Amino acid sequence: MQRRLAFLIISLLIFTTGSLLAQKSCGTVTYQEQLSKNFPQLEPSQQFEDWIKLQISQNRSNPSKLNRKALLNEVITIPVVVHIVHNGEGIGTGTNLAESRILEQIQILNNDFRRMNADAVNTPAEFLGVAADVEIEFALAIRDPEGLPTTGINRITGTRSSWGVVHNTELKSLSYWPAEDYLNLWVAPLESLLGYAQFPISNLGGLNIASENRFTDGVVIDSDFMGNNPNSNPESTGRTATHEIGHFLGLRHIWGDGGCGVDDFCDDTPLANSSNFGCPSSNSCGSDDMVQNYMDLTDDMCMNLFTLCQKDRIRAVMDNSPRRASLLNSPALTAPVMVNNDAGVKSVSMPLMNNCQSENIPQAVLRNYGTNVITSGEVALWINNVFIETQPIIDPIGLLETTTVNFSIRTIVDQSEVSVRITLVNGSTDNNAENNEKSIVVNTSSLDVLPINETFPVFPDGWELRNDDNDLSWEIANAVLNEPANTAIRMKFFSYENADGEYDYLISPGLDFSNFTDVILDFKLAFAQFSASSRDGLIVAVSTDCGNTYDPANYQFQEEGADLATVGVNSNEFTPASQNDWRTVSLDLSPFAGMDQIKIAFIGI
């Protein structure tokens, strides 16, 4: 007898999008970017512009008002981690770029932002008075997030041969360091893209238009356009990274992403009616275009300056946007100091942050960060800041090796803070207190009884939204021509204004499949593709650890664009007109039968 997990999920997915394109052709690059409201670096709001003008004015009139290096005409050094996402080649071959290319790119960035670039002599006389040393430099990190030495270069074999911006979250999840302390620079083979960046955000007025997703914050560069690579393309001399990091630091395109009536909000960059390509002598809006500016789309060999106003904007963002300001105090450029007795808590591995078990054996992974072998020690467990018990370190831990410590079985209630603390190492106090404690807050949930039939008359108890960019997400809506009796849950892509490739999760309650041999998931969906190039999508993913991870190997459904569509291409906001606009999807989840702690996520891309 087949047992069924029956979901009736009527999902209304509506979306409009464009693409940021840098169209590649045979041996040359046109540097043509198609405007899109979906890229936060392209369309900052007037509110942002008003705010940043005020910040610049205040900084100039009262530089002691905020005690930041960004206001003191000091050189700022930004720590960089470069994630090389390659296709399995040896180092220095194909997409697995040699270290020399990476170091060369860092030097190009430093030359461009400090106006030490050799081609600065090519700046026209009319723009010399506003050409600026931005006083920002970049350096590869020498300290990783665990406090260990690093080259600042991570090499990862990708799961795709090439990447589109729709894969933004997937790409960046392969390797990520905390964006508060590092400029994450991902280098990968891209599909028709030279690169893209995430615009800075702030809780101050005016930066509320960018994605707030810290896990995607950074810059992506195509492998062929990292560093000086004239063998691949004559125009590739490293200015793609200069341009995209300009966006990362708050700069707009030089033509303001519009005609003569639209500005980039810098008085010292002439108005222009559009972007420029190649290296033209261009005049529009009654003045010569500043085609030499890094924020135009001209060839690399044509670019050679930022302006004083662009410098002011960058420095204001560095002082006020939280994940930019925190880079000023990052430990990433402080050399690690190794001490003799240094045990650290690498992670609290149990209970999981999302927990579907009523009883747990708390567990921690310890690491030896010091120069001595750890032969003994003690580790304490605290729950909600109440001491629970101590366990000894029994097995020796060699240099940089790990061991796991188990505590006694405990009942962990919802929103409990579980902390593990090192109290003793080799018979004495640990010599490095910085890594002696790790804590997690545990979200507990009970397991729902099967079968389940959900029609979403309201947002159901036990379901969860995960909305990393803090923009639009899943919501309850009328399903067919606003008939009140027919409801659904929808992802309203049509009104979405943030970066492509963001994931929005609709997550089921915890499910117990342990008593079943066959499990079926049924749901209905309706979706209209906005344009022939649209890559909007839906993933149905299964988690086997109560929603802590959704392994792509456990994706049960993944469609986008025309493959997902249930009706023809639509240029307006889509509402299903009849039952004919829907289709039913049936997924066999029997491979997960016999397991508990199952959660199912419907992921709108």
PDB file of all heavy atoms in Angstrom, residues 212-224:
ATOM      1  N   GLU A 212      19.979  43.093   1.257  1.00  0.00           N
ATOM      2  CA  GLU A 212      20.584  43.044   2.577  1.00  0.00           C
ATOM      3  C   GLU A 212      21.251  41.700   2.843  1.00  0.00           C
ATOM      4  O   GLU A 212      21.696  41.433   3.959  1.00  0.00           O
ATOM      5  CB  GLU A 212      19.536  43.327   3.648  1.00  0.00           C
ATOM      6  CG  GLU A 212      18.960  44.741   3.564  1.00  0.00           C
ATOM      7  CD  GLU A 212      18.003  45.046   4.704  1.00  0.00           C
ATOM      8  OE1 GLU A 212      18.022  44.321   5.717  1.00  0.00           O
ATOM      9  OE2 GLU A 212      17.226  46.005   4.562  1.00  0.00           O
ATOM     10  N   ASN A 213      21.355  40.868   1.839  1.00  0.00           N
ATOM     11  CA  ASN A 213      21.872  39.517   2.016  1.00  0.00           C
ATOM     12  C   ASN A 213      23.381  39.547   2.209  1.00  0.00           C
ATOM     13  O   ASN A 213      24.144  39.763   1.274  1.00  0.00           O
ATOM     14  CB  ASN A 213      21.509  38.668   0.801  1.00  0.00           C
ATOM     15  CG  ASN A 213      21.777  37.197   1.025  1.00  0.00           C
ATOM     16  OD1 ASN A 213      22.438  36.806   1.990  1.00  0.00           O
ATOM     17  ND2 ASN A 213      21.267  36.363   0.149  1.00  0.00           N
ATOM     18  N   ARG A 214      23.828  39.311   3.422  1.00  0.00           N
ATOM     19  CA  ARG A 214      25.262  39.335   3.715  1.00  0.00           C
ATOM     20  C   ARG A 214      25.984  38.157   3.072  1.00  0.00           C
ATOM     21  O   ARG A 214      27.191  38.203   2.852  1.00  0.00           O
ATOM     22  CB  ARG A 214      25.506  39.338   5.227  1.00  0.00           C
ATOM     23  CG  ARG A 214      25.011  38.109   5.959  1.00  0.00           C
ATOM     24  CD  ARG A 214      25.181  38.254   7.475  1.00  0.00           C
ATOM     25  NE  ARG A 214      26.576  38.269   7.873  1.00  0.00           N
ATOM     26  CZ  ARG A 214      27.272  37.179   8.197  1.00  0.00           C
ATOM     27  NH1 ARG A 214      26.697  35.982   8.136  1.00  0.00           N
ATOM     28  NH2 ARG A 214      28.521  37.275   8.572  1.00  0.00           N
ATOM     29  N   PHE A 215      25.257  37.085   2.766  1.00  0.00           N
ATOM     30  CA  PHE A 215      25.885  35.889   2.217  1.00  0.00           C
ATOM     31  C   PHE A 215      26.161  36.001   0.715  1.00  0.00           C
ATOM     32  O   PHE A 215      26.788  35.124   0.131  1.00  0.00           O
ATOM     33  CB  PHE A 215      25.027  34.657   2.494  1.00  0.00           C
ATOM     34  CG  PHE A 215      24.839  34.381   3.962  1.00  0.00           C
ATOM     35  CD1 PHE A 215      23.626  34.612   4.574  1.00  0.00           C
ATOM     36  CD2 PHE A 215      25.896  33.920   4.730  1.00  0.00           C
ATOM     37  CE1 PHE A 215      23.459  34.370   5.927  1.00  0.00           C
ATOM     38  CE2 PHE A 215      25.741  33.679   6.085  1.00  0.00           C
ATOM     39  CZ  PHE A 215      24.516  33.903   6.692  1.00  0.00           C
ATOM     40  N   THR A 216      25.673  37.064   0.083  1.00  0.00           N
ATOM     41  CA  THR A 216      25.967  37.280  -1.338  1.00  0.00           C
ATOM     42  C   THR A 216      26.720  38.578  -1.577  1.00  0.00           C
ATOM     43  O   THR A 216      26.972  38.947  -2.727  1.00  0.00           O
ATOM     44  CB  THR A 216      24.669  37.296  -2.170  1.00  0.00           C
ATOM     45  OG1 THR A 216      23.804  38.334  -1.684  1.00  0.00           O
ATOM     46  CG2 THR A 216      23.947  35.961  -2.103  1.00  0.00           C
ATOM     47  N   ASP A 217      27.109  39.262  -0.512  1.00  0.00           N
ATOM     48  CA  ASP A 217      27.706  40.587  -0.641  1.00  0.00           C
ATOM     49  C   ASP A 217      29.135  40.461  -1.169  1.00  0.00           C
ATOM     50  O   ASP A 217      29.974  39.768  -0.582  1.00  0.00           O
ATOM     51  CB  ASP A 217      27.710  41.292   0.709  1.00  0.00           C
ATOM     52  CG  ASP A 217      27.875  42.795   0.576  1.00  0.00           C
ATOM     53  OD1 ASP A 217      27.990  43.277  -0.569  1.00  0.00           O
ATOM     54  OD2 ASP A 217      27.887  43.482   1.613  1.00  0.00           O
ATOM     55  N   GLY A 218      29.409  41.135  -2.266  1.00  0.00           N
ATOM     56  CA  GLY A 218      30.735  41.117  -2.846  1.00  0.00           C
ATOM     57  C   GLY A 218      30.691  41.374  -4.336  1.00  0.00           C
ATOM     58  O   GLY A 218      29.741  41.964  -4.855  1.00  0.00           O
ATOM     59  N   VAL A 219      31.712  40.915  -5.043  1.00  0.00           N
ATOM     60  CA  VAL A 219      31.900  41.196  -6.461  1.00  0.00           C
ATOM     61  C   VAL A 219      32.215  39.882  -7.177  1.00  0.00           C
ATOM     62  O   VAL A 219      32.948  39.042  -6.653  1.00  0.00           O
ATOM     63  CB  VAL A 219      33.044  42.205  -6.664  1.00  0.00           C
ATOM     64  CG1 VAL A 219      33.393  42.368  -8.133  1.00  0.00           C
ATOM     65  CG2 VAL A 219      32.674  43.564  -6.059  1.00  0.00           C
ATOM     66  N   VAL A 220      31.663  39.734  -8.387  1.00  0.00           N
ATOM     67  CA  VAL A 220      31.928  38.558  -9.225  1.00  0.00           C
ATOM     68  C   VAL A 220      32.578  39.031 -10.521  1.00  0.00           C
ATOM     69  O   VAL A 220      32.114  39.993 -11.139  1.00  0.00           O
ATOM     70  CB  VAL A 220      30.632  37.789  -9.545  1.00  0.00           C
ATOM     71  CG1 VAL A 220      30.938  36.556 -10.400  1.00  0.00           C
ATOM     72  CG2 VAL A 220      29.920  37.375  -8.258  1.00  0.00           C
ATOM     73  N   ILE A 221      33.659  38.365 -10.921  1.00  0.00           N
ATOM     74  CA  ILE A 221      34.385  38.710 -12.138  1.00  0.00           C
ATOM     75  C   ILE A 221      34.536  37.451 -12.989  1.00  0.00           C
ATOM     76  O   ILE A 221      34.852  36.368 -12.470  1.00  0.00           O
ATOM     77  CB  ILE A 221      35.788  39.286 -11.824  1.00  0.00           C
ATOM     78  CG1 ILE A 221      35.673  40.532 -10.937  1.00  0.00           C
ATOM     79  CG2 ILE A 221      36.544  39.616 -13.111  1.00  0.00           C
ATOM     80  CD1 ILE A 221      34.985  41.703 -11.576  1.00  0.00           C
ATOM     81  N   ASP A 222      34.341  37.594 -14.289  1.00  0.00           N
ATOM     82  CA  ASP A 222      34.582  36.481 -15.204  1.00  0.00           C
ATOM     83  C   ASP A 222      36.066  36.128 -15.218  1.00  0.00           C
ATOM     84  O   ASP A 222      36.936  37.003 -15.192  1.00  0.00           O
ATOM     85  CB  ASP A 222      34.124  36.860 -16.608  1.00  0.00           C
ATOM     86  CG  ASP A 222      34.331  35.735 -17.606  1.00  0.00           C
ATOM     87  OD1 ASP A 222      33.475  34.848 -17.683  1.00  0.00           O
ATOM     88  OD2 ASP A 222      35.370  35.753 -18.301  1.00  0.00           O
ATOM     89  N   SER A 223      36.358  34.824 -15.300  1.00  0.00           N
ATOM     90  CA  SER A 223      37.747  34.351 -15.241  1.00  0.00           C
ATOM     91  C   SER A 223      38.628  35.021 -16.294  1.00  0.00           C
ATOM     92  O   SER A 223      39.804  35.330 -16.038  1.00  0.00           O
ATOM     93  CB  SER A 223      37.795  32.835 -15.431  1.00  0.00           C
ATOM     94  OG  SER A 223      36.971  32.181 -14.498  1.00  0.00           O
ATOM     95  N   ASP A 224      38.080  35.242 -17.497  1.00  0.00           N
ATOM     96  CA  ASP A 224      38.869  35.826 -18.579  1.00  0.00           C
ATOM     97  C   ASP A 224      39.203  37.291 -18.344  1.00  0.00           C
ATOM     98  O   ASP A 224      40.080  37.849 -19.026  1.00  0.00           O
ATOM     99  CB  ASP A 224      38.129  35.700 -19.917  1.00  0.00           C
ATOM    100  CG  ASP A 224      38.165  34.287 -20.471  1.00  0.00           C
ATOM    101  OD1 ASP A 224      39.001  33.495 -20.005  1.00  0.00           O
ATOM    102  OD2 ASP A 224      37.353  33.986 -21.362  1.00  0.00           O
TER     103      ASP A 224
END
